[in-house]
Amino acid sequence: MGLNYKLNRAVGVLQRLTASEAERLDRICAGIQAAETRLSAQSAPLVEKCLLHCQGMCCRNAAFDDIIGLADFVYILRVAPHLEEPMRACLSDEKPFFTADCPFLAQGRGPCIFADDLRPEVCITTFCADTTGFGGEIRAVQRGFASLGRFLVRHRLKTVGSNCLSFWR
């Protein structure tokens, strides 16, 4: 699909929210952000070690279209809508196939353009070292994104249902 496509879909989802859906989404996103804040605080020594030793290897040589999904973009744009333009700038010359480095590294090298408590799910919950001691925080972030995924499925079903009804009228 491509990251640009997912970003555009996320913008479309956010534009079509009803007031009650927006309120529900805000609660879900606040929960994810709180969980990410706790995880970032707990995992800070491990992340520092990663940056020193691996030099951010996990942000390189990966298929980011498989890592960053619609839910990640919905979360980031709902919490920080001002990031839409910087994300679009990062994706302006998106390669249609495998890219070597994450497109969201500032100046192509890093650091990440996203704050520590505003990261895509896989980026913040995946570590190359022992995560003993903060597994609960990882699971909390994953539960938040699972809730967001269910919200997006219900929203999609409602949208499709409305479109079908208007078609048959």
Side-chain angles (χ1 to χ4, degrees), residues 33 36 40 75-76 83 112-120 124:
Q33 191 168 32
E36 285 195 359
S40 291
Y75 166 62
I76 291 166
L83 287 175
C112 181
I113 69 167
F114 304 125
D116 289 343
D117 62 350
L118 196 64
R119 302 272 169 104
I124 196 166

Side-chain angles (χ1 to χ4, degrees), residues 32-144:
I32 293 171
Q33 191 168 32
E36 285 195 359
T37 299
R38 290 189 304 275
L39 176 56
S40 291
Q42 288 289 323
S43 66
L46 190 58
V47 171
E48 184 177 322
K49 183 180 173 183
C50 172
L51 293 174
L52 288 173
H53 297 291
C54 301
Q55 298 177 345
M57 184 62 74
C58 58
C59 296
R60 304 189 191 308
N61 300 315
F64 291 95
D65 187 37
D66 294 336
I67 293 172
I68 301 171
L70 174 64
D72 297 307
F73 283 125
V74 167
Y75 166 62
I76 291 166
L77 290 174
R78 189 64 188 177
V79 173
H82 66 277
L83 287 175
E84 180 180 352
E85 288 311 312
M87 287 191 294
R88 288 195 184 284
C90 291
L91 297 173
S92 64
D93 57 347
E94 180 185 17
K95 308 286 186 278
F97 299 107
F98 181 81
T99 58
D101 297 335
C102 179
F104 300 114
L105 294 173
Q107 288 84 42
R109 294 181 312 275
C112 181
I113 69 167
F114 304 125
D116 289 343
D117 62 350
L118 196 64
R119 302 272 169 104
E121 177 185 9
V122 172
C123 298
I124 196 166
T125 61
T126 304
F127 297 89
C128 59
D130 184 16
T131 58
T132 301
F134 52 92
E137 286 82 5
I138 291 172
R139 286 188 298 280
V141 171
Q142 292 170 331
R143 279 191 307 271

